[in-house]
Amino acid sequence: MPENKSSQQARKKTSRSVGRPTAKSVAALERKILDVALQEFLLHGYRGASLTRIVQLASVSKTTLYARYRSKAELFRAMLNEQIERSRPARLFPGGAGSPGLEEGLIRYADDMLKFSLQKDLQGVERLLCSESHHFPELGEAAAHRQQLGIKRIAAFIAECAEKDGVPCKDPRAIAETFISLIRGWYINIIVSNEKVSSARRKAWVSESVRSLIAGREGW
């Protein structure tokens, strides 16, 4: 018996929905892969991490994994980039009329970044980078790429504030590098000493450090 028109349309619709995953499902799959990869790297280190275990734990095929990440190094970098995006709330630098002033913006950025980075998993990633990057140059490259993203965002914000406030800045990137190094130096010290840092102590250090940096703004 031939199909009627409505049956044919329903079959075509079903075929399209099965053959073409939605953007939401693709994003969920990639997030799952990266979450599994994070735990694999933390448990086994970079050397011992297994792509075979990752595909098994994420319940995906090797074809699916390699279509997105062609190597362990590429997967690790994607995991780091995903952590960067999760640590950068949209409210931080909204741009336009709602953008915070220089001091407020830098304080918010530093505090939110440190609050996120002091989570247990993220401390594990930092220790992994420190302990294994001398054996695996690709780890150092991934860490450098992560840092450059932060510097680029801060430099753009500093340049925006310089124009808005009428206070020239000869080299926004150099100031951004100083700012990021300031944050990272404090963070690495906490990692190495394995200290427990209270929210009040973190906020106090951030405020004092940013204000000290901005005190020399006329010379930027």
Side-chain angles (χ1 to χ4, degrees), residues 95-132:
S99 183
L102 181 63
E103 182 176 317
E104 180 188 354
L106 293 181
I107 286 176
R108 279 163 54 175
Y109 183 96
D111 190 56
D112 281 12
M113 182 64 72
L114 287 172
K115 180 181 178 181
F116 181 81
S117 299
L118 286 168
Q119 294 179 44
K120 185 177 179 180
D121 282 355
L122 273 297
Q123 290 190 50
V125 170
E126 196 63 48
R127 289 192 175 95
L128 189 156
L129 285 168
C130 292
S131 65
E132 298 199 48

Side-chain angles (χ1 to χ4, degrees), residues 168-218:
C169 180
K170 296 186 290 292
D171 192 347
R173 183 175 178 82
I175 304 302
E177 288 176 346
T178 300
F179 174 69
I180 292 294
S181 295
L182 192 66
I183 298 172
R184 182 161 177 76
W186 186 83
Y187 177 62
I188 291 298
N189 182 61
I190 296 300
I191 294 291
V192 171
S193 62
N194 203 31
E195 288 185 65
K196 300 295 182 183
V197 181
S198 68
S199 175
R201 180 185 168 193
R202 183 191 73 241
K203 289 179 181 295
W205 180 85
V206 166
S207 295
E208 182 179 344
S209 298
V210 169
R211 286 168 186 150
S212 296
L213 179 65
I214 291 179
R217 187 180 185 186
E218 294 295 333

Side-chain angles (χ1 to χ4, degrees), residues 44-64:
H44 302 285
Y46 186 78
R47 184 194 298 272
S50 164
L51 296 182
T52 298
R53 272 197 302 267
I54 290 172
V55 299
Q56 291 173 345
L57 292 171
S59 300
V60 299
S61 67
K62 284 188 176 181
T63 301
T64 297

